[in-house]
């Protein structure tokens, strides 16, 4: 393997390593084939969760996110992460601290206690953004890396909220990604793997988990997820793909909970895009930890392998 | 006193005034200045925020001040009489009034000064209201001190003012109107009926503008075409109107009374009967028979029908066009020549090789009536216009409900041609929008036409319900509120709340309108068949180019700027150029016509008067100091300066009528050879000294 063109400090977050380790391994291995090396960001804490922390004490929220940013600054690397919630916390705090001196001074006051200082020297990217942006990888390279095309699979995309919203606070380098009402760039990435991307009713609706809703009122949260699952059933897809482990948890584990609480079952496999990419590049389901999913991926795997 | 001097606009600048300038300055400075200071209370507007007696006592101590007085309303007749009397009794040489902004009452006090026997330009105003008492309302001491400064500075200038005489220039007895929508047509008809030759310039192939695209008008429900067509016909045959369609203003030179305008007559590819006759084709030219259209093989969308109907490459927009002359769309014409054959050897109306022509005309005044365009509402992605087939704009609705429109007046869903039963109207679609992706202003007529649309579907489609999503219903005009109640009674449903987003059902192509009902305080998810967006309006794309040609400013949102929003809504800061209709800001049809009549009246005044007085603030060249370097010539934004040969050397010369007194040349001239009347260097320096030295000169 040739020397990686780009290196990033890889921020894992909480759900990916604990619930869906396949996302982590798939990201590291698949991205390496595309010339991007993800170096573990050692000592990182919770991002912290934007809903849970951000709505209770902003100072703690800023300081914790800033600490994670400083760890990457010390590595002299930009951060790559694979979760929309982490993106909201770490990208947005980085953006705010870079542009607001008072806030930065306040955060540095706190960081001083652990001999750290936020300098604002790095950028933060979502791995999906790295895959789509031809400055790093781009759709063409993704397509070229496919050895096991997912031909015939009908796959719907769930974008998740925190990556794209609020629109006024997002500054993607690719202009296409700024269309946050009707985005289609993820569909391009799905098509690059040989699968058929499928549009469905109310695509941009929330998964129902974020903002502390899943923790606070699970029935309400599941009701929102259930509505999306009804809409997905309508267009008969083989799998749902996401770019956020928390959304993935909501749709994957959530289907079991929906079955318990509402008595409906969908049996729709839910895969992080990194897992799909891994499959398309020839990684085995075991290597991707797909057997750890709540909803069996078998029917989907039979179709594409 | 005041000598009116005949100035021919082409003639070189008057020499005697030029020589006089430095001489007058020295005589003014030598003569003992006796200045009268008059302090206005403006009721409590000024007196309520400062100590007038203290200001008056201070004014008495300023050098050259011979008389000080104050009055409750200086602008009133008794107030002016105080000035008049004081000038005579005290042999004053200059007058300072400390009151409001000169934009408001400078003309009043100049007249008072003149009536007292002084040259009106011996007057100077100190603004102690807008720039003082109003902004320092709660700082009595501060505003009193600031008023003292303002008066001291004004006295310093008044002591050095000289007599000036406005020039009169003759006015060409012709006018121009740019844009032939309802505003431009009305203005042109009024001017023509007042006996003024009027050039009416329209950039599209036919006249009528936006109003001709509408089906009915609110609140009377008149058929728009029926009331407009007679006006269009009148315009077409008025002997005083020279109608130039498919034409654009290319260049403008000159000033009020004498604008030289170059018009680009775009190549139509089709000759009018007059043009044909000029080429010796007797009885030829286009008679609108349409034989050419039948054979033309190229099909394009018709812009007049908002792209919902086809037209050929040789086309007219609709059957009632004025003038009834076909036009070739050069971007799609393949020059196959079939139309030439169909037109035949008698008419010979089609010329596939026609080129643009330039025509020069001279006019005294001009009216801009360039109208509006629709905001590209697809930029508001949350509503899905141009993404969802059944989301349309109000203009598209007008064409769909119009008997002469693409569906013969049957309102149908674009996705399947079915008649809708539930129609949502989204008001303020990008109007009153502060997100940065929209317009902050109210587009003013969308509430009313949406009410009209609701009425039309109730009337035409039994069982169809309109749902109007609104922020406020602004039914402000005569009989408008009554119309609103009528539509409520007819069964339209009103939901107060902005539409957050619209989602399409991928199977039925129905639409889910999501909003917050702010009266019931609950979210709404409404399933409808059709959504009509009442999109914001914005200036035409070409407006900016046109306004620059005429030297007219625009406000932040691009609408053309009037001279005063209340007291001079049709005028502009460029003398002789006026505004009519929506190019100045959103207006419904009654307001548009009223503004057009106002503009026509204003534009006819200088023409009927026959001559206009120009402010004598022009620059003058002090020839003995001028080195003839010519650097000022290129700096002048009004092309008023030139170098001429005088006694064997080059000197600068000013065309006074073109000079606006901006001072660019005067401030720049390295030799100090340019004298700015009324804003001369010694006068300005005296003001600066008076300010910095606190009166200790």
């Amino acid at each position: 393997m040739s020397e990686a063109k780009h290196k990033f400090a890889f921020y894992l977050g909480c759900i990916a390593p604990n619930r869906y380790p396949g996302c982590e391994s798939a990201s590291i291995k698949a991205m390496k084939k595309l010339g991007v090396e993800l170096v573990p960001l050692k000592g990182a804490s919770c991002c912290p969760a934007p809903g849970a922390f951000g709505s209770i004490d902003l100072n703690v929220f800023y300081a914790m996110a800033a600490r994670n940013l400083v760890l990457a600054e010390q590595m002299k690397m930009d951060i790559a992460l694979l979760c929309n919630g982490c993106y909201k916390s770490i990208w947005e705090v980085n953006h705010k601290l870079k542009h607001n001196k008072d806030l930065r001074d306040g955060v540095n006051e706190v960081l001083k206690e652990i001999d750290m200082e936020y300098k604002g020297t790095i950028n933060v990217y979502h791995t999906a953004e790295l895959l789509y942006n031809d400055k790093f990888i781009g759709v063409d390279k993704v397509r070229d890396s496919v050895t096991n095309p997912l031909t015939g699979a009908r796959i719907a995309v769930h974008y998740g909220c925190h990556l794209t919203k609020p629109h006024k606070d997002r500054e993607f380098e690719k202009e296409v990604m700024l269309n946050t009402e009707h985005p289609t760039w993820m569909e391009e990435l799905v098509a690059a793997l040989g699968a058929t991307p499928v549009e469905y009713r109310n695509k941009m609706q929330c998964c129902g988990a974020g903002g502390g809703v899943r923790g606070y009122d699970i029935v309400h949260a599941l009701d929102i997820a259930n509505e999306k699952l009804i809409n997905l059933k309508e267009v008969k897809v083989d799998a749902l793909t996401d770019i956020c482990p928390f959304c993935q948890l909501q749709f994957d584990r959530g289907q079991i909970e929906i079955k318990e609480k509402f008595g409906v079952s969908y049996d729709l496999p839910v895969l992080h895009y990194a897992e799909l990419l891994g499959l398309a590049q020839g990684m085995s389901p075991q290597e991707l930890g797909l057997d750890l999913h709540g909803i069996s991926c078998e029917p989907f795997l039979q179709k594409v392998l | 006193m005041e000598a009116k001097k005949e100035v021919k606009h082409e003639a070189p600048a008057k020499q005697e005034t030029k020589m006089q300038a430095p001489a007058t300055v020295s005589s003014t400075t030598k003569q003992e200045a006796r200045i009268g200071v008059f302090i206005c209370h403006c009721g409590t507007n000024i007196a309520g925020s400062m100590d007038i007696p203290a200001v008056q006592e201070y004014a008495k101590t300023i050098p050259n001040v011979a008389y000080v007085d104050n009055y409750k309303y200086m602008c009133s007749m008794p107030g002016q009489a105080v000035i008049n009397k004081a000038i005579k009794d005290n042999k004053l040489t200059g007058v300072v009034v400390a009151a409001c902004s000169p934009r408001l009452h400078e003309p009043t006090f100049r007249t008072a000064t003149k009536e007292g026997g002084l040259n009106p330009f011996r007057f100077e105003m100190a603004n102690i209201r807008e720039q003082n008492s109003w902004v320092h309302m709660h700082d009595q001491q501060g505003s009193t001190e600031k008023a003292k400064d303002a008066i001291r500075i004004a006295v310093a200038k008044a002591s050095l003012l000289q007599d000036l005489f406005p020039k009169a220039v003759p006015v060409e007895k012709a006018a121009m109107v740019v844009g032939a929508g309802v505003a431009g047509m009305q203005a042109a008809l009024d001017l023509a009926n007042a006996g003024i030759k009027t050039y009416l310039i329209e950039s599209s192939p036919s006249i009528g503008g936006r109003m001709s695209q509408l089906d009915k008008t609110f609140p009377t429900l008149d058929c728009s075409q029926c009331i407009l067509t007679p006006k269009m016909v009148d315009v077409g045959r008025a002997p005083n109107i020279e109608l130039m369609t498919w034409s654009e203003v290319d260049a403008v030179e000159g000033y009020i009374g004498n604008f030289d305008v170059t018009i680009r007559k775009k190549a139509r590819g089709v000759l009018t009967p007059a043009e044909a006759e000029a080429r010796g084709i007797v009885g030829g030219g286009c008679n609108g028979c349409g034989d050419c259209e039948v054979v033309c093989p190229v099909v394009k969308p018709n812009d007049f029908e908002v792209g919902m109907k086809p037209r050929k490459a040789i086309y007219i927009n609709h059957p009632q066009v004025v003038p009834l002359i076909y036009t070739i769309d050069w971007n799609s014409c393949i020059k196959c020549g079939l139309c030439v054959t169909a037109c035949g050897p008698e008419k010979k109306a089609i010329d596939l090789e026609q080129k643009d022509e330039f025509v020069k005309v001279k006019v005294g005044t001009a009216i801009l009536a360039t109208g509006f365009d629709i905001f590209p509402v697809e930029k508001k992605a949350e509503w899905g216009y141009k993404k969802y087939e059944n989301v349309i704009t109000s203009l598209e609705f007008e064409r769909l409900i119009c008997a002469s429109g693409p569906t013969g007046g049957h309102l149908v869903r674009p996705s399947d041609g079915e008649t809708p039963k539930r129609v949502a109207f989204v008001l303020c679609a990008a109007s009153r929008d502060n997100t940065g992706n929209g317009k902050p202003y109210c587009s003013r007529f969308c509430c009313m036409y949406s009410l009209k649309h609701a009425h039309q579907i109730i009337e035409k489609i039994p069982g169809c319900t309109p749902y109007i999503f609104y922020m406020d219903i602004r039914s402000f005009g005569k009989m408008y509120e009554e119309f609103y109640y009528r539509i409520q009674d007819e069964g339209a449903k009103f939901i107060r709340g902005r539409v957050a987003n619209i989602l399409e059902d991928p199977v039925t192509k129905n639409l889910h309108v999501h909003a917050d009902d702010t009266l019931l305080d609950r979210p709404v998810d409404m399933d409808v068949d059709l959504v009509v967006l009442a999109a914001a309006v914005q200036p035409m794309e070409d407006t900016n180019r046109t306004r620059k040609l005429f030297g007219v400013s625009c406000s932040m949102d691009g609408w053309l700027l009037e001279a005063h929003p209340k007291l001079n809504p049709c005028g502009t800061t460029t003398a002789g150029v006026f505004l009519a209709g929506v190019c100045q800001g959103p207006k419904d049809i009654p307001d548009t016509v009223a503004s057009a009549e106002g503009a026509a009246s204003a534009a006819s005044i200088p023409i009927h008067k026959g001559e206009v007085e120009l402010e004598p603030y022009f620059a003058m060249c002090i020839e003995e100091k001028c080195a003839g370097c010519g650097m000022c010539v290129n700096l002048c934004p009004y092309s008023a300066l030139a170098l001429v040969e005088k006694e064997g050397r080059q000197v600068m010369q000013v065309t006074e009528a073109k000079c606006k007194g901006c001072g660019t040349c005067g401030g720049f001239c390295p030799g100090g050879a340019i004298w700015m009347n009324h804003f001369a260097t010694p006068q300005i320096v005296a003001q600066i000294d008076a300010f910095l030295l606190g009166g200790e000169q």
Side-chain angles (χ1 to χ4, degrees):
Chain A
M1 186 64 56
S2 60
E3 184 76 6
K5 260 172 76 189
H6 302 281
K7 275 189 183 180
F8 290 89
F10 189 33
Y11 178 81
L12 292 175
C14 51
I15 297 175
N18 288 304
R19 303 286 194 107
Y20 298 106
C23 296
E24 182 187 338
S25 63
S27 295
I28 294 173
K29 289 179 184 167
M31 302 279 272
K32 189 156 196 175
K33 289 190 184 162
L34 294 162
V36 172
E37 188 179 344
L38 299 177
V39 185
L41 180 59
K42 286 184 184 154
S45 68
C46 174
C47 60
F53 284 77
S55 54
I56 292 168
D57 188 333
L58 277 175
N59 289 324
V60 173
F61 175 69
Y62 290 139
M64 277 181 77
R67 184 184 160 277
N68 288 327
L69 284 159
V70 173
L71 289 174
E73 284 185 359
Q74 288 169 349
M75 290 167 75
K76 297 191 170 55
M77 281 182 202
D78 289 345
I79 288 181
L81 41 78
L82 76 175
C83 166
N84 288 3
C86 303
Y87 187 84
K88 159 94 181 163
S89 301
I90 297 183
W91 185 88
E92 244 180 65
V93 170
N94 190 37
H95 189 69
K96 282 200 171 105
L97 293 180
K98 275 185 182 179
H99 292 93
N100 184 337
K101 188 178 180 301
D102 290 346
L103 192 64
R104 188 164 66 236
D105 291 348
V107 160
N108 276 332
E109 197 75 10
V110 177
L111 290 180
K112 213 191 233 170
E113 292 177 27
I114 48 168
D115 297 321
M116 278 185 159
E117 190 195 353
Y118 171 85
K119 297 197 179 75
T121 51
I122 62 156
N123 294 319
V124 179
Y125 297 94
H126 194 296
T127 46
E129 202 182 349
L130 300 179
L131 288 166
Y132 188 71
N133 189 342
D134 44 19
K135 183 172 136 190
F136 304 107
I137 298 168
V139 181
D140 290 340
K141 273 196 185 166
V142 171
R143 190 180 297 114
D144 292 346
S145 77
V146 172
T147 54
N148 172 37
L150 310 179
T151 316
R154 288 168 58 79
I155 301 180
V157 177
H158 173 78
Y159 282 80
C161 306
H162 286 319
L163 180 65
T164 54
K165 302 256 173 147
H167 176 256
K168 65 180 163 60
D169 290 339
R170 292 294 177 266
E171 295 179 353
F172 299 114
E173 287 169 6
K174 294 295 277 187
E175 208 183 325
V176 174
M177 292 181 67
L178 288 171
N179 178 355
T180 57
E181 291 292 335
H182 306 288
T184 51
W185 56 274
M186 274 294 297
E187 278 80 352
E188 287 181 54
L189 284 171
V190 168
L193 306 182
T196 308
V198 180
E199 287 284 340
Y200 59 105
R201 190 192 297 264
N202 215 348
K203 179 175 86 179
M204 293 308 288
Q205 189 191 295
C206 172
C207 67
V213 180
R214 186 178 160 84
Y216 172 74
D217 181 355
I218 188 144
V219 175
H220 202 138
L222 292 174
D223 192 34
I224 297 174
N226 191 35
E227 193 184 320
K228 282 212 90 155
L229 288 165
I230 293 171
N231 292 344
L232 286 163
K233 194 179 174 185
E234 187 180 77
V235 287
K236 295 189 177 68
V237 288
D238 300 311
L240 174 67
T241 186
D242 60 82
I243 43 174
C244 170
F246 197 32
C247 299
Q248 175 150 333
L249 179 74
Q250 171 76 346
F251 286 118
D252 183 46
R253 288 274 146 205
Q255 285 186 58
I256 297 170
E257 291 155 345
I258 285 171
K259 193 174 179 184
E260 281 169 15
K261 292 197 161 59
F262 305 157
V264 235
S265 55
Y266 298 95
D267 296 324
L268 176 67
V270 184
L271 291 94
H272 192 282
Y273 183 79
E275 295 174 328
L276 278 187
L277 178 62
L279 279 178
Q281 288 184 351
M283 289 164 70
S284 74
Q286 288 69 31
E287 215 175 338
L288 295 166
L290 294 186
D291 49 332
L292 298 172
H293 282 217
I295 298 294
S296 168
C297 297
E298 267 316 307
F300 172 68
L301 293 174
Q302 280 171 11
K303 189 152 196 175
V304 299
L305 293 182
Chain B
M1 276 235 37
E2 191 176 322
K4 269 191 183 161
K5 288 175 192 164
E6 184 80 22
V7 176
K8 289 190 195 82
H9 51 90
E10 299 291 30
K14 288 285 174 236
Q15 288 312 298
E16 70 270 36
T17 41
K18 203 174 282 181
M19 303 308 286
Q20 186 187 323
T24 328
V25 176
S26 52
S27 69
T28 315
T29 41
K30 271 174 212 156
Q31 178 198 359
E32 191 206 347
R34 294 176 60 78
I35 308 300
V37 176
F38 303 88
I39 305 160
C40 179
H41 298 205
C42 195
T44 56
N45 269 305
I46 294 170
S49 313
M50 67 178 69
D51 183 351
I52 300 267
V55 177
Q56 170 150 1
E57 282 314 302
Y58 172 78
K60 287 179 183 164
T61 69
I62 303 172
N64 293 338
V65 171
Y67 180 80
V68 187
D69 207 345
N70 69 81
Y71 193 73
K72 200 163 184 179
Y73 294 105
M74 218 67 223
C75 59
S76 67
M77 290 308 288
Q80 294 186 51
V82 170
I83 299 173
N84 190 330
K85 186 166 181 300
I87 294 173
K88 288 169 183 151
D89 292 355
N90 299 284
K91 299 192 169 54
L92 299 180
T93 63
V95 171
V96 168
V97 175
C100 50
S101 159
R103 284 188 68 114
L104 202 61
H105 273 310
E106 190 177 62
T108 315
F109 295 123
R110 275 200 180 146
T111 311
T113 306
K114 190 176 162 189
E115 283 170 353
L118 282 178
N119 180 286
F121 294 90
R122 294 282 188 141
F123 164 75
E124 181 67 17
M125 199 143 187
N127 182 345
I128 59 169
R129 193 178 74 163
E130 284 85 344
Q131 293 171 358
N132 190 340
S133 69
W134 279 359
V135 283
H136 308 300
M137 212 172 270
H138 306 294
D139 181 5
Q140 172 105 4
Q141 201 189 344
S143 62
T144 305
E145 290 308 308
K146 191 171 172 181
K148 290 176 182 176
D149 286 344
I151 292 172
R152 186 176 68 244
I153 293 164
V155 168
K157 184 172 177 191
S159 307
L160 297 177
L161 287 175
Q162 349 160 224
D163 293 353
L164 293 175
F165 303 96
K167 312 264 168 191
V169 294
V171 177
E172 184 74 25
K173 203 178 160 138
M176 168 168 292
V177 178
V178 184
V182 67
M185 294 189 335
Q186 184 65 49
L189 283 170
D190 282 10
L191 287 165
N193 287 336
I196 296 165
K197 165 90 181 174
T198 305
Y199 300 93
L200 179 56
I201 314 298
E202 170 57 48
S203 64
S204 57
S206 56
I207 64 174
R210 290 285 173 212
M211 190 176 161
S212 63
Q213 285 178 286
L214 309 182
D215 181 39
K216 284 184 174 177
T217 61
F218 58 80
T220 49
L221 301 172
D222 297 300
C223 155
S224 184
Q225 277 282 7
C226 310
I227 54 176
L228 191 67
T229 310
K231 267 197 202 301
M232 286 163 53
V233 173
D234 286 351
V235 166
R237 55 169 178 236
N240 265 339
I241 295 180
E242 188 163 335
L243 177 59
M244 298 166 99
T245 53
W246 204 235
S247 299
E248 287 169 359
V249 176
D250 192 66
V252 181
E253 279 178 34
Y255 45 89
I256 179 171
N258 298 278
F259 290 109
D260 291 302
V261 186
T262 309
I263 298 154
R264 174 197 292 267
K265 288 182 78 172
K266 294 183 278 187
R268 238 190 156 103
V270 179
L271 304 178
T272 63
E275 284 166 346
E277 198 161 316
R279 290 194 185 183
I281 311 162
V282 182
C286 180
N287 61 4
C289 67
D291 290 348
C292 51
E293 190 179 0
V294 178
V295 297
C296 177
V298 183
V299 180
K300 285 276 156 184
N302 182 339
D303 290 341
F304 181 83
E305 302 287 0
V306 207
M308 296 185 293
K309 203 174 177 179
R311 66 155 167 80
K312 297 295 185 66
I314 185 162
Y315 68 103
I316 53 171
N317 275 330
H318 58 94
Q320 294 109 313
V321 289
V322 174
L324 181 54
I325 304 287
Y326 275 75
T327 303
I328 293 176
D329 169 10
W330 298 113
N331 290 327
S332 51
C333 174
I334 52 168
K335 297 203 175 179
C336 63
L338 286 173
C339 53
V340 179
T341 318
C343 190
E346 271 92 59
K347 294 199 289 282
K348 272 193 183 165
I350 297 171
D351 175 4
L352 293 177
E353 303 305 323
Q354 199 182 17
K355 295 274 174 292
D356 291 1
E357 279 175 39
F358 293 90
V359 181
K360 279 197 171 191
V361 299
K362 199 178 191 76
V363 294
T365 55
I367 294 174
L368 303 185
T370 50
F372 68 95
D373 210 342
I374 308 293
F375 176 81
V377 73
E378 63 271 22
K379 282 190 185 171
K380 305 294 288 184
E382 60 268 36
W383 298 323
Y385 178 60
K386 290 200 176 170
K387 180 175 169 67
Y388 305 143
E389 286 174 84
N390 293 329
V391 175
I392 62 173
T393 64
S394 299
L395 197 58
E396 286 166 339
F397 182 94
E398 289 285 350
R399 294 317 301 156
L400 288 174
I401 202 88
C402 182
S404 64
T407 56
H410 297 290
L411 180 67
V412 294
R413 276 156 49 101
S415 69
D416 52 14
E418 292 293 320
T419 306
K421 291 288 178 196
R422 293 161 65 85
V423 182
F425 292 90
V426 178
L427 269 54
C428 300
S431 301
R432 301 175 71 193
D433 181 327
N434 289 319
T435 60
N437 182 22
K439 301 291 176 183
Y441 48 79
C442 167
S443 293
R444 236 169 145 257
F445 41 82
C446 339
C447 282
M448 289 309 297
Y449 71 57
S450 295
L451 291 176
K452 180 200 67 175
H453 290 170
H455 165 81
Q456 287 179 293
I457 58 173
I458 290 171
E459 187 186 42
K460 283 201 168 184
I461 309 170
C464 182
T465 313
Y467 295 90
I468 298 177
F469 290 85
Y470 70 102
M471 293 167 76
D472 304 286
I473 294 287
R474 296 189 161 171
S475 51
F476 53 87
K478 191 178 179 182
M479 297 302 287
Y480 287 12
E481 189 70 7
E482 293 88 332
F483 188 69
Y484 175 25
Y485 290 139
R486 177 178 163 188
I487 307 310
Q488 284 181 345
D489 288 343
E490 286 179 350
K493 305 289 180 212
F494 291 81
I495 299 121
R496 196 187 77 179
R498 288 203 100 148
V499 172
N501 69 345
I502 296 172
L503 296 170
E504 185 186 62
D505 185 319
V507 181
T508 61
K509 304 282 179 191
N510 282 359
L511 301 153
H512 285 265
V513 181
H514 293 135
D516 194 26
D517 187 329
T518 55
L519 289 178
L520 298 177
D521 192 20
R522 68 182 185 202
V524 179
D525 174 358
M526 188 173 287
D527 183 358
V528 297
D529 303 330
L530 184 71
V531 172
V532 184
L533 302 176
V537 295
Q538 62 181 24
M540 292 292 280
E541 201 188 330
D542 206 27
T543 299
N544 211 31
R545 188 190 69 88
T546 313
R547 77 162 180 89
K548 282 182 183 163
L549 292 176
F550 283 94
V552 172
S553 313
C554 66
S555 47
M556 237 164 53
D557 43 32
W559 300 112
L560 300 186
L561 196 64
E562 63 288 319
H564 189 286
K566 291 166 187 72
L567 303 178
N568 196 354
C570 297
T572 67
T573 46
T574 300
V577 181
F578 303 87
L579 307 176
V582 182
C583 67
Q584 182 253 345
K587 285 179 197 65
D588 58 6
I589 296 168
D591 285 3
T592 294
V593 173
S595 107
E597 300 208 282
S601 159
S604 69
I605 292 170
I607 293 174
H608 285 314
K609 222 169 146 190
E611 58 176 28
V612 285
E613 271 190 359
L614 302 178
E615 293 263 38
Y617 299 156
F618 48 82
M620 295 193 300
C621 177
I622 305 167
E623 282 175 7
E624 47 274 38
K625 285 191 185 174
C626 178
C629 69
M631 296 184 89
C632 54
V633 175
N634 293 326
L635 286 174
C636 178
Y638 304 100
S639 319
L641 312 181
L643 283 182
V644 292
E645 185 88 11
K646 264 293 166 64
E647 290 155 15
R649 68 191 186 95
Q650 296 259 308
V651 289
M652 186 273 274
Q653 181 173 292
V654 184
T655 304
E656 290 163 8
K658 280 189 181 179
C659 174
K660 301 264 191 283
C662 70
T664 308
C665 58
F668 178 80
C669 177
I674 298 177
W675 178 268
M676 299 303 307
N677 272 324
H678 211 61
F679 296 94
T681 307
Q683 294 167 353
I684 304 238
V685 169
Q687 283 181 290
I688 297 169
D689 284 350
F691 175 59
L692 295 176
L693 304 175
E696 317 214 343
Q697 297 168 56

